[in-house]
Amino acid sequence: MKNTYKLMMLAGDGIGPEVMAEVSKLANWLNSNEDIGLELEDELVGGASIDVNKIPVTDATIQKCKEADAVMLGAVGGAKWDDVDYNIRPEAGLLKIRKDLDLFANLRPAIVFDALLDASSLKPDIIQGLDILIVRELTGGVYFGEPRGIETMPDGQQRGFNTQTYTTSEIERVTEVAFDLARKRSKKVTSCEKANVMESGKLWRQVVTNLHKNHTDIELSHMYADNCAMQLLRNPKQFDVIVTDNLFGDILSDEAAMLTGSLGMLPSASLGKTDPSTGKRYAMYEPVHGSAPDIAGQGKANPLATILSFAMCLRYSLDQGALAEKIEQAVQDILNNGLRTADIMAHNCQEISTSAMGDAVIDHIKSILRKAA
Ligand code: NAD
């Protein structure tokens, strides 16, 4: 009997529906050709939900996200909703899903495909073969800490303030995720903070060090976040998994992403708490890019970031690592064969549309299967 899984499909706005259509096409092909059953259910999010429901995500959709094995999201936002009330803007729907599913660990791989070496602003020998994973704490730290605000002081000046705060359990759970992921890779974790100048960083280092006593098969090192920012440019291949807090992770993951050079190629995953009634870990998978209103509806969007996010979903939520590898191999082959969407177009390559790129992924999986037979 086939293993069956439920996927919530939240296409969203702009190019979201275009890139998610390619994931649905691939999932349906896998249903017919591989030993897996994927039940897809579409729901509205972002501006598309505001238009129908007056809010960017409904409680019913959140409930369905909790009941699914995983959530796939396209992108949200667009000029049409720029003037809606701040609390119901499209992005608020995304933040609500992250909060309600307690998605505390954000995974951002930075992988350099040989065929796209020239897209990076770094020298090829520094980034060739790069494959690192940044695990960013997503629900705590200075973006959420209290007190926060802007106040007027007795001398009439204004003072803006935020609070960086982390508890032991918040640090432990994201570090556990990093150690578990490293175990399936090269077993190396670098933990980044500013223990030299911040008490929260000092606690972070202590908690990670203590937790490591239960994970001695993993090589752990500590690095100040500013040094990590430099090392990512100097010698990024020294890293495997980097675990860090919300603020440093925001900056370091964008920096690492740009080592690879192309927004349309970057997948991400956000992992949450485990539901006590089902034993399933909440999770959402989405491309790093936004809704790209400038190219929406023109068949120009690169669907590979979303397809690679789907591969992460297969690996981390559905325990289908072998299928994920086939998809990643297919993407590699396609790029090596010179097929490109407009955003990654290069000399001597062939420009193809969003849906032709989705078809090419399926064709290459077919040829991988033929070779294996
Ligand atoms: P963006 O990522 O949407 O676009 C930036 C540039 O990259 C654009 O030129 C776009 O055409 C290009 N691009 C992005 N994805 C691409 C793809 N898959 N294929 C080819 N080209 C691609 O960022 P932006 O322009 O700053 O934001 C547009 C909207 O998206 C805004 O409303 C913003 O709030 C929203 N946004 C949403 C998310 C999300 O849903 N997670 C993330 C970032 C931005």
PDB file of all heavy atoms in Angstrom, residues 15 19 73-79 82 91 94 98 263-265 286-295 300-303 305 341 343, ligand 1:
ATOM      1  N   ILE A  15       3.169  35.807  -8.569  1.00  0.00           N
ATOM      2  CA  ILE A  15       3.646  34.577  -9.222  1.00  0.00           C
ATOM      3  C   ILE A  15       3.392  33.335  -8.363  1.00  0.00           C
ATOM      4  O   ILE A  15       3.664  32.220  -8.815  1.00  0.00           O
ATOM      5  CB  ILE A  15       5.156  34.643  -9.586  1.00  0.00           C
ATOM      6  CG1 ILE A  15       6.018  34.832  -8.328  1.00  0.00           C
ATOM      7  CG2 ILE A  15       5.428  35.716 -10.621  1.00  0.00           C
ATOM      8  CD1 ILE A  15       7.508  34.613  -8.559  1.00  0.00           C
ATOM      9  N   VAL A  19       3.998  29.440  -9.757  1.00  0.00           N
ATOM     10  CA  VAL A  19       5.063  28.514  -9.344  1.00  0.00           C
ATOM     11  C   VAL A  19       4.488  27.316  -8.596  1.00  0.00           C
ATOM     12  O   VAL A  19       4.978  26.189  -8.728  1.00  0.00           O
ATOM     13  CB  VAL A  19       6.170  29.230  -8.522  1.00  0.00           C
ATOM     14  CG1 VAL A  19       6.955  30.181  -9.405  1.00  0.00           C
ATOM     15  CG2 VAL A  19       5.624  29.962  -7.302  1.00  0.00           C
ATOM     16  N   LEU A  73       3.726  26.871   0.483  1.00  0.00           N
ATOM     17  CA  LEU A  73       3.249  28.236   0.247  1.00  0.00           C
ATOM     18  C   LEU A  73       3.980  28.865  -0.935  1.00  0.00           C
ATOM     19  O   LEU A  73       5.191  28.644  -1.093  1.00  0.00           O
ATOM     20  CB  LEU A  73       3.479  29.068   1.517  1.00  0.00           C
ATOM     21  CG  LEU A  73       2.961  30.498   1.421  1.00  0.00           C
ATOM     22  CD1 LEU A  73       1.924  30.775   2.507  1.00  0.00           C
ATOM     23  CD2 LEU A  73       4.081  31.514   1.546  1.00  0.00           C
ATOM     24  N   GLY A  74       3.246  29.622  -1.773  1.00  0.00           N
ATOM     25  CA  GLY A  74       3.866  30.324  -2.899  1.00  0.00           C
ATOM     26  C   GLY A  74       4.464  31.631  -2.425  1.00  0.00           C
ATOM     27  O   GLY A  74       5.588  31.681  -1.937  1.00  0.00           O
ATOM     28  N   ALA A  75       3.693  32.713  -2.514  1.00  0.00           N
ATOM     29  CA  ALA A  75       4.159  34.022  -2.026  1.00  0.00           C
ATOM     30  C   ALA A  75       2.935  34.904  -1.825  1.00  0.00           C
ATOM     31  O   ALA A  75       1.880  34.637  -2.411  1.00  0.00           O
ATOM     32  CB  ALA A  75       5.106  34.660  -3.037  1.00  0.00           C
ATOM     33  N   VAL A  76       3.075  35.927  -1.005  1.00  0.00           N
ATOM     34  CA  VAL A  76       1.941  36.832  -0.778  1.00  0.00           C
ATOM     35  C   VAL A  76       2.352  38.282  -1.020  1.00  0.00           C
ATOM     36  O   VAL A  76       3.530  38.614  -0.947  1.00  0.00           O
ATOM     37  CB  VAL A  76       1.371  36.697   0.664  1.00  0.00           C
ATOM     38  CG1 VAL A  76       0.843  35.300   0.926  1.00  0.00           C
ATOM     39  CG2 VAL A  76       2.414  37.099   1.705  1.00  0.00           C
ATOM     40  N   GLY A  77       1.352  39.113  -1.299  1.00  0.00           N
ATOM     41  CA  GLY A  77       1.578  40.559  -1.383  1.00  0.00           C
ATOM     42  C   GLY A  77       1.442  41.111  -2.781  1.00  0.00           C
ATOM     43  O   GLY A  77       1.491  40.375  -3.771  1.00  0.00           O
ATOM     44  N   GLY A  78       1.262  42.435  -2.838  1.00  0.00           N
ATOM     45  CA  GLY A  78       1.124  43.115  -4.124  1.00  0.00           C
ATOM     46  C   GLY A  78       0.537  44.495  -3.889  1.00  0.00           C
ATOM     47  O   GLY A  78      -0.088  44.758  -2.853  1.00  0.00           O
ATOM     48  N   ALA A  79       0.717  45.367  -4.892  1.00  0.00           N
ATOM     49  CA  ALA A  79       0.313  46.770  -4.739  1.00  0.00           C
ATOM     50  C   ALA A  79      -1.178  46.913  -4.432  1.00  0.00           C
ATOM     51  O   ALA A  79      -1.586  47.823  -3.717  1.00  0.00           O
ATOM     52  CB  ALA A  79       0.649  47.522  -6.027  1.00  0.00           C
ATOM     53  N   ASP A  82      -1.675  47.314  -0.792  1.00  0.00           N
ATOM     54  CA  ASP A  82      -0.729  48.168  -0.051  1.00  0.00           C
ATOM     55  C   ASP A  82      -1.428  49.043   0.982  1.00  0.00           C
ATOM     56  O   ASP A  82      -0.857  49.378   2.010  1.00  0.00           O
ATOM     57  CB  ASP A  82       0.047  49.082  -1.027  1.00  0.00           C
ATOM     58  CG  ASP A  82       1.267  48.361  -1.582  1.00  0.00           C
ATOM     59  OD1 ASP A  82       1.538  47.235  -1.131  1.00  0.00           O
ATOM     60  OD2 ASP A  82       1.929  48.920  -2.495  1.00  0.00           O
ATOM     61  N   GLU A  91       0.992  40.028   4.323  1.00  0.00           N
ATOM     62  CA  GLU A  91       2.083  39.428   5.101  1.00  0.00           C
ATOM     63  C   GLU A  91       1.613  38.996   6.489  1.00  0.00           C
ATOM     64  O   GLU A  91       2.173  38.088   7.096  1.00  0.00           O
ATOM     65  CB  GLU A  91       3.251  40.414   5.255  1.00  0.00           C
ATOM     66  CG  GLU A  91       4.002  40.716   3.969  1.00  0.00           C
ATOM     67  CD  GLU A  91       3.277  41.686   3.047  1.00  0.00           C
ATOM     68  OE1 GLU A  91       2.220  42.243   3.436  1.00  0.00           O
ATOM     69  OE2 GLU A  91       3.758  41.876   1.908  1.00  0.00           O
ATOM     70  N   LEU A  94       0.801  35.387   6.620  1.00  0.00           N
ATOM     71  CA  LEU A  94       1.983  34.531   6.734  1.00  0.00           C
ATOM     72  C   LEU A  94       2.484  34.478   8.177  1.00  0.00           C
ATOM     73  O   LEU A  94       2.792  33.405   8.713  1.00  0.00           O
ATOM     74  CB  LEU A  94       3.091  35.166   5.884  1.00  0.00           C
ATOM     75  CG  LEU A  94       3.709  34.361   4.798  1.00  0.00           C
ATOM     76  CD1 LEU A  94       4.672  35.188   3.986  1.00  0.00           C
ATOM     77  CD2 LEU A  94       4.412  33.180   5.395  1.00  0.00           C
ATOM     78  N   ARG A  98       2.855  31.286  10.784  1.00  0.00           N
ATOM     79  CA  ARG A  98       4.111  30.977  11.487  1.00  0.00           C
ATOM     80  C   ARG A  98       3.894  30.925  12.992  1.00  0.00           C
ATOM     81  O   ARG A  98       4.415  30.056  13.676  1.00  0.00           O
ATOM     82  CB  ARG A  98       5.166  32.046  11.183  1.00  0.00           C
ATOM     83  CG  ARG A  98       5.767  31.892   9.803  1.00  0.00           C
ATOM     84  CD  ARG A  98       6.884  32.903   9.584  1.00  0.00           C
ATOM     85  NE  ARG A  98       7.320  32.849   8.200  1.00  0.00           N
ATOM     86  CZ  ARG A  98       7.803  33.883   7.527  1.00  0.00           C
ATOM     87  NH1 ARG A  98       7.924  35.060   8.107  1.00  0.00           N
ATOM     88  NH2 ARG A  98       8.180  33.745   6.278  1.00  0.00           N
ATOM     89  N   LEU A 263      17.713  34.646  -6.792  1.00  0.00           N
ATOM     90  CA  LEU A 263      16.544  34.583  -5.915  1.00  0.00           C
ATOM     91  C   LEU A 263      15.555  33.489  -6.341  1.00  0.00           C
ATOM     92  O   LEU A 263      14.921  32.855  -5.502  1.00  0.00           O
ATOM     93  CB  LEU A 263      15.860  35.963  -5.975  1.00  0.00           C
ATOM     94  CG  LEU A 263      14.891  36.389  -4.887  1.00  0.00           C
ATOM     95  CD1 LEU A 263      15.463  36.167  -3.506  1.00  0.00           C
ATOM     96  CD2 LEU A 263      14.513  37.849  -5.083  1.00  0.00           C
ATOM     97  N   GLY A 264      15.442  33.262  -7.627  1.00  0.00           N
ATOM     98  CA  GLY A 264      14.477  32.279  -8.133  1.00  0.00           C
ATOM     99  C   GLY A 264      14.873  30.836  -7.874  1.00  0.00           C
ATOM    100  O   GLY A 264      14.156  29.910  -8.256  1.00  0.00           O
ATOM    101  N   MET A 265      16.033  30.625  -7.235  1.00  0.00           N
ATOM    102  CA  MET A 265      16.541  29.261  -6.994  1.00  0.00           C
ATOM    103  C   MET A 265      16.545  28.885  -5.512  1.00  0.00           C
ATOM    104  O   MET A 265      17.013  27.814  -5.163  1.00  0.00           O
ATOM    105  CB  MET A 265      17.986  29.155  -7.495  1.00  0.00           C
ATOM    106  CG  MET A 265      18.189  29.305  -8.984  1.00  0.00           C
ATOM    107  SD  MET A 265      17.410  27.994  -9.923  1.00  0.00           S
ATOM    108  CE  MET A 265      18.161  26.548  -9.223  1.00  0.00           C
ATOM    109  N   GLU A 286       8.445  27.034   1.549  1.00  0.00           N
ATOM    110  CA  GLU A 286       8.155  28.160   0.640  1.00  0.00           C
ATOM    111  C   GLU A 286       9.444  28.664  -0.007  1.00  0.00           C
ATOM    112  O   GLU A 286      10.519  28.555   0.589  1.00  0.00           O
ATOM    113  CB  GLU A 286       7.495  29.309   1.407  1.00  0.00           C
ATOM    114  CG  GLU A 286       8.340  29.797   2.552  1.00  0.00           C
ATOM    115  CD  GLU A 286       7.683  30.886   3.399  1.00  0.00           C
ATOM    116  OE1 GLU A 286       7.177  31.854   2.818  1.00  0.00           O
ATOM    117  OE2 GLU A 286       7.716  30.765   4.639  1.00  0.00           O
ATOM    118  N   PRO A 287       9.332  29.234  -1.209  1.00  0.00           N
ATOM    119  CA  PRO A 287      10.524  29.855  -1.799  1.00  0.00           C
ATOM    120  C   PRO A 287      10.882  31.109  -1.009  1.00  0.00           C
ATOM    121  O   PRO A 287      10.021  31.688  -0.349  1.00  0.00           O
ATOM    122  CB  PRO A 287      10.057  30.220  -3.214  1.00  0.00           C
ATOM    123  CG  PRO A 287       8.575  30.391  -3.096  1.00  0.00           C
ATOM    124  CD  PRO A 287       8.136  29.404  -2.057  1.00  0.00           C
ATOM    125  N   VAL A 288      12.147  31.525  -1.096  1.00  0.00           N
ATOM    126  CA  VAL A 288      12.582  32.727  -0.375  1.00  0.00           C
ATOM    127  C   VAL A 288      12.019  33.990  -1.045  1.00  0.00           C
ATOM    128  O   VAL A 288      11.751  34.983  -0.389  1.00  0.00           O
ATOM    129  CB  VAL A 288      14.137  32.761  -0.329  1.00  0.00           C
ATOM    130  CG1 VAL A 288      14.652  34.110   0.123  1.00  0.00           C
ATOM    131  CG2 VAL A 288      14.644  31.652   0.595  1.00  0.00           C
ATOM    132  N   HIS A 289      11.796  33.921  -2.370  1.00  0.00           N
ATOM    133  CA  HIS A 289      11.373  35.138  -3.079  1.00  0.00           C
ATOM    134  C   HIS A 289       9.937  35.528  -2.737  1.00  0.00           C
ATOM    135  O   HIS A 289       9.175  34.743  -2.160  1.00  0.00           O
ATOM    136  CB  HIS A 289      11.525  34.953  -4.593  1.00  0.00           C
ATOM    137  CG  HIS A 289      10.688  33.851  -5.177  1.00  0.00           C
ATOM    138  ND1 HIS A 289       9.326  33.941  -5.318  1.00  0.00           N
ATOM    139  CD2 HIS A 289      11.019  32.621  -5.663  1.00  0.00           C
ATOM    140  CE1 HIS A 289       8.860  32.838  -5.877  1.00  0.00           C
ATOM    141  NE2 HIS A 289       9.870  32.005  -6.081  1.00  0.00           N
ATOM    142  N   GLY A 290       9.566  36.761  -3.142  1.00  0.00           N
ATOM    143  CA  GLY A 290       8.216  37.262  -2.922  1.00  0.00           C
ATOM    144  C   GLY A 290       7.311  37.014  -4.127  1.00  0.00           C
ATOM    145  O   GLY A 290       7.583  36.112  -4.948  1.00  0.00           O
ATOM    146  N   SER A 291       6.261  37.824  -4.249  1.00  0.00           N
ATOM    147  CA  SER A 291       5.228  37.563  -5.245  1.00  0.00           C
ATOM    148  C   SER A 291       5.569  38.154  -6.621  1.00  0.00           C
ATOM    149  O   SER A 291       4.799  38.006  -7.566  1.00  0.00           O
ATOM    150  CB  SER A 291       3.886  38.117  -4.768  1.00  0.00           C
ATOM    151  OG  SER A 291       4.013  39.503  -4.517  1.00  0.00           O
ATOM    152  N   ALA A 292       6.714  38.840  -6.726  1.00  0.00           N
ATOM    153  CA  ALA A 292       7.232  39.368  -8.002  1.00  0.00           C
ATOM    154  C   ALA A 292       6.142  39.949  -8.902  1.00  0.00           C
ATOM    155  O   ALA A 292       5.949  39.478 -10.037  1.00  0.00           O
ATOM    156  CB  ALA A 292       8.023  38.270  -8.737  1.00  0.00           C
ATOM    157  N   PRO A 293       5.424  40.976  -8.447  1.00  0.00           N
ATOM    158  CA  PRO A 293       4.320  41.523  -9.259  1.00  0.00           C
ATOM    159  C   PRO A 293       4.777  41.993 -10.635  1.00  0.00           C
ATOM    160  O   PRO A 293       3.986  41.972 -11.588  1.00  0.00           O
ATOM    161  CB  PRO A 293       3.819  42.718  -8.440  1.00  0.00           C
ATOM    162  CG  PRO A 293       4.426  42.602  -7.093  1.00  0.00           C
ATOM    163  CD  PRO A 293       5.629  41.720  -7.195  1.00  0.00           C
ATOM    164  N   ASP A 294       6.062  42.372 -10.763  1.00  0.00           N
ATOM    165  CA  ASP A 294       6.551  42.884 -12.057  1.00  0.00           C
ATOM    166  C   ASP A 294       6.518  41.848 -13.161  1.00  0.00           C
ATOM    167  O   ASP A 294       6.475  42.195 -14.348  1.00  0.00           O
ATOM    168  CB  ASP A 294       7.974  43.472 -11.894  1.00  0.00           C
ATOM    169  CG  ASP A 294       8.963  42.512 -11.246  1.00  0.00           C
ATOM    170  OD1 ASP A 294       8.535  41.636 -10.444  1.00  0.00           O
ATOM    171  OD2 ASP A 294      10.172  42.611 -11.532  1.00  0.00           O
ATOM    172  N   ILE A 295       6.517  40.557 -12.817  1.00  0.00           N
ATOM    173  CA  ILE A 295       6.503  39.520 -13.871  1.00  0.00           C
ATOM    174  C   ILE A 295       5.289  38.594 -13.763  1.00  0.00           C
ATOM    175  O   ILE A 295       5.182  37.628 -14.516  1.00  0.00           O
ATOM    176  CB  ILE A 295       7.801  38.673 -13.865  1.00  0.00           C
ATOM    177  CG1 ILE A 295       8.046  38.037 -12.497  1.00  0.00           C
ATOM    178  CG2 ILE A 295       8.997  39.502 -14.308  1.00  0.00           C
ATOM    179  CD1 ILE A 295       9.072  36.911 -12.533  1.00  0.00           C
ATOM    180  N   LYS A 300       6.959  34.006 -16.826  1.00  0.00           N
ATOM    181  CA  LYS A 300       8.417  34.207 -16.742  1.00  0.00           C
ATOM    182  C   LYS A 300       9.010  33.738 -15.414  1.00  0.00           C
ATOM    183  O   LYS A 300      10.223  33.700 -15.255  1.00  0.00           O
ATOM    184  CB  LYS A 300       8.727  35.704 -16.867  1.00  0.00           C
ATOM    185  CG  LYS A 300       8.599  36.266 -18.256  1.00  0.00           C
ATOM    186  CD  LYS A 300       9.066  37.703 -18.228  1.00  0.00           C
ATOM    187  CE  LYS A 300       8.924  38.370 -19.573  1.00  0.00           C
ATOM    188  NZ  LYS A 300       9.032  39.820 -19.479  1.00  0.00           N
ATOM    189  N   ALA A 301       8.147  33.454 -14.432  1.00  0.00           N
ATOM    190  CA  ALA A 301       8.653  33.142 -13.082  1.00  0.00           C
ATOM    191  C   ALA A 301       9.449  31.844 -13.089  1.00  0.00           C
ATOM    192  O   ALA A 301       9.082  30.876 -13.768  1.00  0.00           O
ATOM    193  CB  ALA A 301       7.485  33.033 -12.114  1.00  0.00           C
ATOM    194  N   ASN A 302      10.513  31.833 -12.324  1.00  0.00           N
ATOM    195  CA  ASN A 302      11.312  30.615 -12.154  1.00  0.00           C
ATOM    196  C   ASN A 302      10.647  29.762 -11.062  1.00  0.00           C
ATOM    197  O   ASN A 302      10.567  30.183  -9.908  1.00  0.00           O
ATOM    198  CB  ASN A 302      12.729  31.031 -11.717  1.00  0.00           C
ATOM    199  CG  ASN A 302      13.667  29.854 -11.596  1.00  0.00           C
ATOM    200  OD1 ASN A 302      13.227  28.700 -11.573  1.00  0.00           O
ATOM    201  ND2 ASN A 302      14.953  30.132 -11.512  1.00  0.00           N
ATOM    202  N   PRO A 303      10.177  28.555 -11.407  1.00  0.00           N
ATOM    203  CA  PRO A 303       9.494  27.737 -10.396  1.00  0.00           C
ATOM    204  C   PRO A 303      10.451  26.879  -9.558  1.00  0.00           C
ATOM    205  O   PRO A 303      10.006  26.142  -8.682  1.00  0.00           O
ATOM    206  CB  PRO A 303       8.597  26.836 -11.250  1.00  0.00           C
ATOM    207  CG  PRO A 303       9.394  26.639 -12.501  1.00  0.00           C
ATOM    208  CD  PRO A 303      10.182  27.908 -12.733  1.00  0.00           C
ATOM    209  N   ALA A 305      12.746  27.454  -7.209  1.00  0.00           N
ATOM    210  CA  ALA A 305      12.828  27.648  -5.752  1.00  0.00           C
ATOM    211  C   ALA A 305      11.666  26.931  -5.065  1.00  0.00           C
ATOM    212  O   ALA A 305      11.843  26.313  -4.006  1.00  0.00           O
ATOM    213  CB  ALA A 305      12.793  29.142  -5.419  1.00  0.00           C
ATOM    214  N   THR A 341      15.014  29.824 -17.057  1.00  0.00           N
ATOM    215  CA  THR A 341      13.991  30.873 -17.085  1.00  0.00           C
ATOM    216  C   THR A 341      14.733  32.205 -17.218  1.00  0.00           C
ATOM    217  O   THR A 341      15.962  32.263 -17.047  1.00  0.00           O
ATOM    218  CB  THR A 341      13.138  30.847 -15.800  1.00  0.00           C
ATOM    219  OG1 THR A 341      14.004  30.671 -14.687  1.00  0.00           O
ATOM    220  CG2 THR A 341      12.076  29.768 -15.854  1.00  0.00           C
ATOM    221  N   ASP A 343      15.188  34.869 -15.474  1.00  0.00           N
ATOM    222  CA  ASP A 343      15.985  35.436 -14.373  1.00  0.00           C
ATOM    223  C   ASP A 343      17.392  34.846 -14.290  1.00  0.00           C
ATOM    224  O   ASP A 343      18.296  35.487 -13.760  1.00  0.00           O
ATOM    225  CB  ASP A 343      15.262  35.222 -13.029  1.00  0.00           C
ATOM    226  CG  ASP A 343      14.972  33.749 -12.768  1.00  0.00           C
ATOM    227  OD1 ASP A 343      14.446  33.084 -13.679  1.00  0.00           O
ATOM    228  OD2 ASP A 343      15.293  33.264 -11.670  1.00  0.00           O
TER     229      ASP A 343
HETATM  230  P1  NAD B   1      10.320  39.771  -4.900  1.00  0.00           P
HETATM  231  O1  NAD B   1      11.110  38.644  -4.348  1.00  0.00           O
HETATM  232  O2  NAD B   1       8.882  39.513  -5.151  1.00  0.00           O
HETATM  233  O3  NAD B   1      10.978  40.282  -6.274  1.00  0.00           O
HETATM  234  C1  NAD B   1      12.297  40.839  -6.351  1.00  0.00           C
HETATM  235  C2  NAD B   1      12.816  40.719  -7.793  1.00  0.00           C
HETATM  236  O4  NAD B   1      13.152  39.351  -8.067  1.00  0.00           O
HETATM  237  C3  NAD B   1      11.776  41.113  -8.838  1.00  0.00           C
HETATM  238  O5  NAD B   1      12.426  41.743  -9.917  1.00  0.00           O
HETATM  239  C4  NAD B   1      11.193  39.796  -9.306  1.00  0.00           C
HETATM  240  O6  NAD B   1      10.705  39.812 -10.638  1.00  0.00           O
HETATM  241  C5  NAD B   1      12.379  38.842  -9.156  1.00  0.00           C
HETATM  242  N1  NAD B   1      11.914  37.495  -8.802  1.00  0.00           N
HETATM  243  C6  NAD B   1      11.483  37.075  -7.582  1.00  0.00           C
HETATM  244  N2  NAD B   1      11.140  35.791  -7.639  1.00  0.00           N
HETATM  245  C7  NAD B   1      11.361  35.373  -8.906  1.00  0.00           C
HETATM  246  C8  NAD B   1      11.178  34.120  -9.572  1.00  0.00           C
HETATM  247  N3  NAD B   1      10.705  33.026  -8.961  1.00  0.00           N
HETATM  248  N4  NAD B   1      11.491  34.066 -10.888  1.00  0.00           N
HETATM  249  C9  NAD B   1      11.995  35.127 -11.532  1.00  0.00           C
HETATM  250  N5  NAD B   1      12.181  36.332 -10.951  1.00  0.00           N
HETATM  251  C10 NAD B   1      11.864  36.452  -9.648  1.00  0.00           C
HETATM  252  O7  NAD B   1      10.489  40.991  -3.877  1.00  0.00           O
HETATM  253  P2  NAD B   1       9.791  42.419  -3.869  1.00  0.00           P
HETATM  254  O8  NAD B   1       9.672  42.930  -5.274  1.00  0.00           O
HETATM  255  O9  NAD B   1      10.542  43.204  -2.876  1.00  0.00           O
HETATM  256  O10 NAD B   1       8.321  42.171  -3.282  1.00  0.00           O
HETATM  257  C11 NAD B   1       7.165  41.987  -4.096  1.00  0.00           C
HETATM  258  C12 NAD B   1       6.007  41.613  -3.180  1.00  0.00           C
HETATM  259  O11 NAD B   1       6.280  40.358  -2.553  1.00  0.00           O
HETATM  260  C13 NAD B   1       5.762  42.607  -2.041  1.00  0.00           C
HETATM  261  O12 NAD B   1       4.376  42.745  -1.861  1.00  0.00           O
HETATM  262  C14 NAD B   1       6.421  41.951  -0.840  1.00  0.00           C
HETATM  263  O13 NAD B   1       5.823  42.355   0.369  1.00  0.00           O
HETATM  264  C15 NAD B   1       6.125  40.495  -1.141  1.00  0.00           C
HETATM  265  N6  NAD B   1       7.053  39.534  -0.492  1.00  0.00           N
HETATM  266  C16 NAD B   1       6.487  38.371  -0.072  1.00  0.00           C
HETATM  267  C17 NAD B   1       7.293  37.412   0.476  1.00  0.00           C
HETATM  268  C18 NAD B   1       6.644  36.104   0.880  1.00  0.00           C
HETATM  269  O14 NAD B   1       5.528  35.845   0.493  1.00  0.00           O
HETATM  270  N7  NAD B   1       7.334  35.260   1.611  1.00  0.00           N
HETATM  271  C19 NAD B   1       8.677  37.585   0.581  1.00  0.00           C
HETATM  272  C20 NAD B   1       9.242  38.784   0.099  1.00  0.00           C
HETATM  273  C21 NAD B   1       8.399  39.742  -0.445  1.00  0.00           C
END
